[in-house]
């Protein structure tokens, strides 16, 4: 399997024009003030005072900016390791050096960032082939387009609205993927499942929410979002764009039965110190990517989430160890399953009725660096693992496990922009469901295994090519 990615397409140029006009007007006004002083010494004093005031305002805005103080928020928003305006990753230059494909738009993009507007885009094209086994062999191409916009409220309002980040995410995909040829329970390409696994060629505004810091230790997240970034993030197995491709090695597939891909969330994140994070959230258990909370929410379809993350450093090597518990009061007419895995029902050919109320989930995720070459850009490698458990009498997937090794750079000298990984994932299908299917003469294995290895080659810092191989046992 191969996939190519191009980051940051030349969009929203109208915004640049508006910003450029505002910049010219501001310079003209500044020139008029100096010209009317009529005395060179006074002009110098006024210029110095203006510079001091501008510097003080800049420092005030920077201190109030959530993106400046906690850029990891953007990483969680976008599930991508870099964005334009991030000092450690942003490079302006020739085609082979620039960090973003469209560079800085003749300086217009820098002006947008100064104003608190962080735009990004990504194009992903997948070319896949089922070379042996499964239902059928053959090749297929799929792809997706992502548009991201972060608005830093402190920068937009000159610190009148401190600590806010408004995030918008629009996306579409094309073609339906290779899962029907492979015949696997878990989609071999996670990118093919979003935003809607059963409806391609449609553009959705899938996420729109606010992150607001109430203090240096407490923030709230509210709006339509994919909450997996908060509770199931992982340094080495978290993004289909530059890491693993198989769904089971990008996300925990048990989560989706409780938390739809995007749903209305109200979450609080409390960080008493840099090593400990507490998260509590309430979520619409019936969220849909093409509907708002006003269309989908019901008090008897609510999900409650509590999570604790420990973020230690062992001799300068960072790690993340996170546990989560979830409860929902939903009624289930059949066995619960992530809507992105609905093809599993289609492949089995039946839809087993199973009238249950309430559901529970326990999961964990961890990653630990074992070597770091460059801490600013997190060039290094380490280990990762995930697990999940939920009741087998009401869930299609009642257990899940994965582990592996991954990193950035370190394998080939001089290739610090490359990513790589090797992992295993095991998805256990409910014994109760298998018993019910057996009565209908449908046989399903108890466990699906996938072993995946990938190497993501940075053709340039902005254009990547992933070579991927998977061996699926079911």
């Amino acid at each position: 399997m191969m996939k190519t990615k191009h980051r940051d397409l030349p969009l929203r140029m109208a915004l640049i024009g508006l910003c450029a006009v505002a910049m010219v007007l501001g310079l003209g006004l500044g020139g008029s003030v100096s010209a009317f002083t009529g005395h060179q010494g006074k002009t110098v004093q006024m210029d110095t005072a203006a510079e001091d005031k501008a510097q003080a305002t800049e420092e005030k805005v920077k201190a109030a900016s959530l993106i400046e103080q906690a850029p990891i928020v953007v990483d969680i928003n976008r599930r991508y390791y870099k964005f334009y305006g991030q000092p450690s990753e942003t490079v302006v230059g020739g085609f082979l050096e620039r960090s973003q494909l469209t560079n800085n738009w003749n300086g217009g993009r820098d002006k947008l960032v100064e104003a608190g507007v962080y735009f990004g885009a990504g194009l992903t094209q997948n070319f896949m082939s089922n070379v042996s086994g499964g239902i059928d062999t053959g090749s297929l191409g799929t792809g997706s387009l992502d548009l991201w916009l972060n608005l830093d409220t402190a920068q937009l309002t000159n610190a009148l609205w401190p600590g806010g980040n408004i995030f918008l995410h629009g996306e579409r995909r094309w073609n339906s993927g290779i899962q029907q040829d492979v015949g696997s329970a878990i989609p071999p390409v996670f990118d093919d499942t979003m935003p809607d696994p059963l409806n391609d060629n449609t553009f959705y505004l899938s996420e729109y929410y606010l992150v607001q810091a109430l203090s240096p230790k407490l923030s709230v997240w509210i709006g339509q979002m994919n909450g997996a970034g908060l509770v199931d993030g992982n340094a080495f197995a978290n993004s289909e764009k530059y890491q693993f491709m198989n769904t089971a090695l990008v996300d925990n597939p048990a989560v989706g039965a409780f938390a739809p891909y995007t749903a209305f969330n109200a979450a609080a994140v409390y960080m008493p110190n840099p090593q400990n994070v507490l998260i509590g959230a309430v979520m619409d258990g019936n969220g849909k990517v093409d509907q708002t909370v006003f269309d989908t929410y019901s008090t008897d379809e609510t999900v409650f989430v509590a999570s604790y993350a420990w973020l230690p450093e062992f001799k300068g090597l960072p790690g993340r160890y996170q546990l989560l518990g979830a409860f929902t009061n939903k009624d289930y007419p059949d066995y619960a399953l992530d809507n992105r895995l609905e093809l599993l029902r289609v492949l089995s050919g039946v839809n087993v009725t199973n009238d249950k109320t309430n559901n529970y989930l326990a999961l964990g995720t961890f990653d630990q660096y074992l070597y770091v070459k460059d801490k600013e850009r997190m060039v290094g490698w380490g280990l990762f693992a995930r697990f999940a458990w939920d009741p087998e009498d009401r869930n299609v997937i009642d257990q899940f496990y994965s582990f592996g090794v991954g990193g950035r750079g370190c394998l080939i000298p001089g290739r610090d922009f490359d990513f790589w990984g090797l992992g295993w994932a095991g998805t256990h299908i409910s014994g109760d469901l298998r018993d019910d299917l057996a009565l209908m003469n449908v046989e399903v294995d108890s466990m699906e295994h996938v072993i995946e290895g990938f190497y993501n080659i940075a053709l340039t810092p902005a254009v990547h090519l992933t070579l991927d191989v998977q061996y699926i046992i079911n």
Side-chain angles (χ1 to χ4, degrees):
M1 298 184 181
M2 297 189 300
K3 60 180 177 181
T4 58
K5 296 178 286 299
H6 308 282
R7 316 307 305 178
D8 295 297
L9 304 177
L11 303 174
R12 300 293 188 266
M13 295 302 291
L15 287 177
I16 300 170
L18 291 174
C19 185
V21 170
M23 178 183 65
V24 170
L25 291 175
L27 289 174
L29 180 61
S32 299
V33 170
S34 297
F36 278 103
T37 59
H39 191 281
Q40 186 176 2
K42 291 182 181 180
T43 301
V44 172
Q45 290 177 359
M46 290 188 68
D47 286 347
T48 302
E51 289 175 3
D52 291 343
K53 184 178 179 180
Q55 184 176 355
T57 300
E58 182 180 348
E59 291 174 355
K60 180 181 178 181
V61 170
K62 189 171 183 178
S65 165
L66 186 61
I67 292 178
E68 287 279 358
Q69 299 302 318
I72 191 173
V73 169
V74 182
D75 297 341
I76 295 172
N77 293 158
R78 304 184 181 191
R79 293 164 63 96
Y80 197 68
Y81 70 97
K82 67 179 180 181
F83 61 92
Y84 191 90
Q86 182 180 12
S88 62
E89 297 285 357
T90 302
V91 176
V92 176
F95 181 77
L96 297 179
E97 295 83 28
R98 64 184 62 167
S99 56
Q100 269 71 23
L101 189 63
T102 57
N103 218 16
N104 70 340
W105 306 346
N106 278 335
R109 199 168 194 174
D110 297 313
K111 295 300 180 184
L112 285 175
V113 168
E114 290 173 10
V117 179
Y118 296 79
F119 173 77
L123 177 67
T124 302
Q125 183 65 53
N126 303 298
F127 302 95
M128 299 149 289
S129 180
N130 184 36
V131 297
S132 177
I135 296 175
D136 194 10
T137 57
S139 302
L140 187 65
T142 63
S144 64
L145 171 68
D146 292 275
L147 305 178
W148 301 289
L149 184 65
N150 289 81
L151 301 175
D152 187 289
T153 62
Q155 293 173 297
L156 280 169
T157 65
N158 239 2
L160 293 176
W161 180 355
N165 167 38
I166 299 170
F167 176 63
L168 305 174
H169 176 206
E171 59 184 322
R172 64 160 291 188
R173 66 175 182 85
W174 44 91
N175 296 342
S176 57
I178 203 170
Q179 185 183 3
Q180 294 189 60
D181 288 345
V182 175
S184 58
I186 306 300
V189 181
F190 185 64
D191 194 56
D192 293 341
T193 69
M194 302 176 296
D196 184 342
L198 301 179
N199 186 18
D200 54 10
N201 296 313
T202 301
F203 184 85
Y204 296 95
L205 180 61
S206 52
E207 296 183 87
Y208 40 92
Y209 61 91
L210 168 69
V211 182
Q212 180 63 54
L214 302 180
S215 76
K217 297 180 179 180
L218 178 65
S219 64
V220 293
W221 302 53
I222 185 165
Q224 189 87 1
M225 73 178 80
N226 173 15
L230 273 177
V231 299
D232 192 39
N234 197 287
F236 307 114
N238 193 55
S239 175
E240 73 283 0
K241 305 299 183 185
Y242 64 96
Q243 294 175 329
F244 291 96
M245 296 179 70
N246 192 285
T247 300
L249 284 161
V250 177
D251 268 350
N252 192 321
V255 172
F258 294 79
Y261 167 49
T262 65
F264 187 85
N265 283 255
V269 180
Y270 179 60
M271 199 168 183
N273 54 59
Q275 289 77 43
N276 295 278
V277 183
L278 296 169
I279 301 172
V282 180
M283 180 187 314
D284 176 7
N286 195 39
K288 291 180 172 56
V289 71
D290 59 344
Q291 297 182 36
T292 70
V293 63
F294 303 105
D295 302 315
T296 60
Y297 180 67
S298 172
T299 55
D300 57 3
E301 292 186 330
T302 304
V303 181
F304 304 89
V305 177
S307 178
Y308 167 71
W310 180 43
L311 310 175
E313 277 203 17
F314 302 107
K315 296 184 178 180
L317 301 173
R320 170 175 172 166
Y321 301 79
Q322 187 162 2
L323 297 174
L324 173 142
F327 166 78
T328 179
N329 58 356
K330 287 177 64 174
D331 292 328
Y332 290 90
D334 51 20
Y335 285 85
L337 182 68
D338 186 342
N339 66 339
R340 289 170 290 178
L341 307 182
E342 284 296 329
L343 190 56
L344 175 56
R345 297 193 199 275
V346 176
L347 291 171
S348 67
V350 295
N351 206 2
V352 180
T353 58
N354 181 42
D355 190 16
K356 298 287 183 182
T357 300
N358 301 340
N359 208 350
Y360 318 87
L361 171 70
L363 68 80
T365 180
F366 92 81
D367 57 70
Q368 179 61 58
Y369 277 89
L370 300 181
Y371 172 76
V372 174
K373 176 183 176 181
D374 180 346
K375 195 168 184 178
E376 187 177 26
R377 293 190 297 127
M378 292 315 297
V379 176
W381 64 273
L383 303 176
F384 70 89
R386 285 185 172 100
F387 72 85
W389 173 91
D390 49 32
E392 68 173 344
D393 65 348
R394 62 199 68 193
N395 294 284
V396 174
I397 298 169
D398 65 339
Q399 297 176 53
F400 173 76
Y401 309 94
S402 69
F403 66 85
V405 59
R408 181 184 186 184
C410 302
L411 286 186
I412 302 175
R415 301 294 307 175
D416 286 351
F417 288 103
D418 296 350
F419 292 85
W420 54 272
L422 177 65
W424 165 87
T427 303
H428 189 267
I429 306 300
S430 158
D432 285 8
L433 173 60
R434 286 184 284 113
D435 291 343
D436 288 345
L437 289 172
L439 296 175
M440 303 178 187
N441 296 317
V442 176
E443 184 178 346
V444 177
D445 288 343
S446 62
M447 197 87 168
E448 178 171 287
H449 305 265
V450 58
I451 300 170
E452 179 179 2
F454 78 90
Y455 193 88
N456 177 275
I457 306 166
L459 302 177
T460 78
V463 181
H464 288 235
L465 172 68
T466 293
L467 304 178
D468 183 276
V469 60
Q470 301 179 29
Y471 183 59
I472 298 172
I473 308 167
N474 63 9

